[in-house]
Amino acid sequence: MSRFLTAALLLGQTFAYDTVLGFNSRPLVETRTIEEIYNAALKEGGTVTVWHGGDEKDQQDSLKSAFEERFPGMTLNITVDLSKYLDGEIDQQLYNNNVFVDSIILQTLQDFPRWQQEGALLNYAPVGFDKVYSAFKDSISASWYGYSIFFWSISWNTAKLPNIKNISSYSDLLKPEFKNKLVLTYPNDDDAVLFAFYQIMQQLGTKWFDDLLKQNPRWVRGTATPLTIVSGANYSQSATFTSFGGFNPGKNVNISFPNDAEFVTWPQTAAILKNAPHPESAKLFHNFLLSSDHQKTVPLSVRKDIDSSESPYRNIMNTPHTNPTTFAKFMSDRVTVERLRFYFENRLGSAQGLSPLIDDI
């Protein structure tokens, strides 16, 4: 396929990601100390219910432990499931006027401006909100904001690939030594992975994808699954670019970032539902998320005043070969998303296997 046709296939409309000012949008700006909010949360009952996007049930156990250790007597009930399923269930709660979740943290970034316009979110600015990059938040209503930058990197197992010293590009993965060695998430099953393929093919064309298929990659559901397989000694696959493992993904696993196309970064975004049953507990949780202490523990901070000390990319807004604001625009353009989804489904077939939350590989 020519590069002209590639552009026609891959280039969709560009949508602005500005939020329309909704009803009663003036936010409550938090002025209390964290201890005052903590005491209010304990008096409320000491429980906060959070739904977090992800594809393994235990992915946010460390967040639960950190919150409960910081605030004894508090209980964080956190449920992890695919964002594309959780957002529909939130819509059902809103439609039935039966909200039982306090806080939501999702990958479906297009939902937050819609919910804000519908008046479904609490307009509340935690301490530290003013330090969050403006591109990652609703600056007017303070109804939603990123709390951590997620990203896909190239990851490979050095024990399985002892002769590979570095992988500097997506084109490297087309070399003979990666034949039958790749494991990848279906792009038609996860919009962030879909965006990864979209960006690569904008730079390298559909021929890159044709050549990738000749490498006979293993296709799986879930973005945690590829890293599990790459890390496991019992699997032959040894490299992926559709998993998030942070900057220290585990024993024998190295990561790198490509120099021939953009890689995906985005702010995983959080909000409190306006009719949350535990509003003070939710406020405590969100103040914890944006606190300087917690932001220093995430791989890439959303706060412009905090360096991510473990990251080689301390300032995400000036990191080469990525733009953390573009995923939100992509997610808002559902016409392009659906068109691309069916393009890949036509090439790969529908995603096979159970949900990664119940599939043990």
Side-chain angles (χ1 to χ4, degrees):
M1 183 180 291
S2 71
R3 291 303 293 268
F4 176 79
L5 291 177
T6 299
L9 170 67
L10 295 175
L11 293 178
Q13 299 178 37
T14 300
F15 278 62
Y17 197 59
D18 296 329
T19 299
V20 176
L21 188 61
F23 175 74
N24 196 23
S25 295
R26 181 173 297 173
L28 171 65
V29 178
E30 186 59 80
T31 58
R32 294 175 294 176
T33 67
I34 195 72
E35 293 304 316
E36 289 173 328
I37 306 169
Y38 176 27
N39 289 331
L42 289 173
K43 290 178 182 178
E44 184 183 65
T47 298
V48 57
T49 298
V50 176
W51 281 7
H52 197 301
D55 47 26
E56 289 194 356
K57 293 179 181 179
D58 62 353
Q59 276 181 325
Q60 297 304 323
D61 285 0
S62 60
L63 178 58
K64 174 180 172 66
S65 297
F67 178 75
E68 293 179 351
E69 181 179 347
R70 172 64 180 84
F71 302 106
M74 293 296 301
T75 298
L76 174 56
N77 292 327
I78 191 161
T79 297
V80 176
D81 203 342
L82 301 179
S83 294
K84 65 181 182 180
Y85 298 150
L86 292 180
D87 66 344
E89 294 184 35
I90 292 295
D91 281 332
Q92 285 295 312
Q93 290 183 40
L94 296 171
Y95 178 79
N96 294 324
N97 195 25
N98 181 32
V99 173
F100 57 85
V101 172
D102 299 304
S103 172
I104 48 178
I105 303 175
L106 302 176
Q107 176 184 298
T108 51
L109 304 189
Q110 78 280 5
D111 286 318
F112 291 93
R114 172 175 64 85
W115 283 327
Q116 189 276 330
Q117 293 167 32
E118 293 170 355
L121 305 180
L122 185 67
N123 300 327
Y124 172 73
V127 175
F129 176 81
D130 60 319
K131 305 297 185 183
V132 175
Y133 287 103
S134 60
F136 302 157
K137 64 185 178 182
D138 182 340
S139 299
I140 299 174
S141 72
S143 59
W144 52 263
Y145 30 85
Y147 93 96
S148 179
I149 304 297
F150 285 13
F151 57 85
W152 304 144
S153 61
I154 299 173
S155 307
W156 73 98
N157 189 312
T158 58
K160 296 180 185 179
L161 294 168
N163 296 322
I164 301 298
K165 303 306 179 185
N166 189 37
I167 304 175
S168 60
S169 70
Y170 293 117
S171 298
D172 283 347
L173 298 173
L174 305 181
K175 294 178 179 179
E177 50 263 45
F178 294 103
K179 179 85 172 188
N180 301 316
K181 297 296 185 181
L182 301 176
V183 54
L184 303 170
T185 306
Y186 285 99
N188 44 312
D189 198 40
D190 184 289
D191 284 351
V193 175
L194 184 70
F195 187 51
F197 279 83
Y198 170 84
Q199 291 195 122
I200 296 167
M201 293 167 68
Q202 279 185 306
Q203 292 294 316
L204 304 181
T206 55
K207 185 180 184 304
W208 173 87
F209 184 64
D210 294 336
D211 291 340
L212 181 73
L213 294 182
K214 295 175 184 177
Q215 297 289 69
N216 192 33
R218 177 179 176 180
W219 297 98
V220 298
R221 297 192 66 193
T223 57
T225 305
L227 191 57
T228 298
I229 291 173
V230 165
S231 302
N234 295 329
Y235 303 104
S236 60
Q237 291 81 19
S238 51
T240 188
F241 59 86
T242 63
S243 259
F244 172 73
F247 292 100
N248 298 291
K251 183 180 178 181
N252 295 329
V253 178
N254 281 359
I255 70 167
S256 63
F257 296 93
N259 58 24
D260 60 345
E262 299 282 284
F263 66 93
V264 176
T265 53
W266 77 93
Q268 192 80 343
T269 295
I272 300 172
L273 292 169
K274 186 176 69 174
N275 294 327
H278 310 104
E280 294 300 331
S281 299
K283 290 173 185 176
L284 179 65
F285 177 63
H286 281 245
N287 278 274
F288 170 75
L289 289 179
L290 292 187
S291 68
S292 59
D293 286 344
H294 183 68
Q295 286 292 304
K296 289 175 183 177
T297 70
V298 300
L300 288 170
S301 175
V302 296
R303 287 181 48 157
K304 54 193 173 185
D305 63 327
I306 292 178
D307 284 340
S308 301
S309 58
E310 294 185 4
S311 165
Y313 301 125
R314 291 174 180 265
N315 184 342
I316 186 59
M317 302 305 277
N318 293 314
T319 296
H321 302 296
T322 194
N323 182 341
T325 71
T326 53
F327 181 55
K329 297 175 183 178
F330 175 79
M331 291 292 280
S332 296
D333 184 358
R334 302 314 293 175
V335 173
T336 295
V337 170
E338 292 303 309
R339 178 164 48 83
L340 287 166
R341 190 197 313 278
F342 287 120
Y343 168 80
F344 286 107
E345 185 171 307
N346 184 52
R347 300 295 304 274
L348 301 173
S350 59
Q352 300 298 304
L354 298 174
S355 166
L357 285 151
I358 57 177
D359 190 5
D360 59 2
I361 317 176

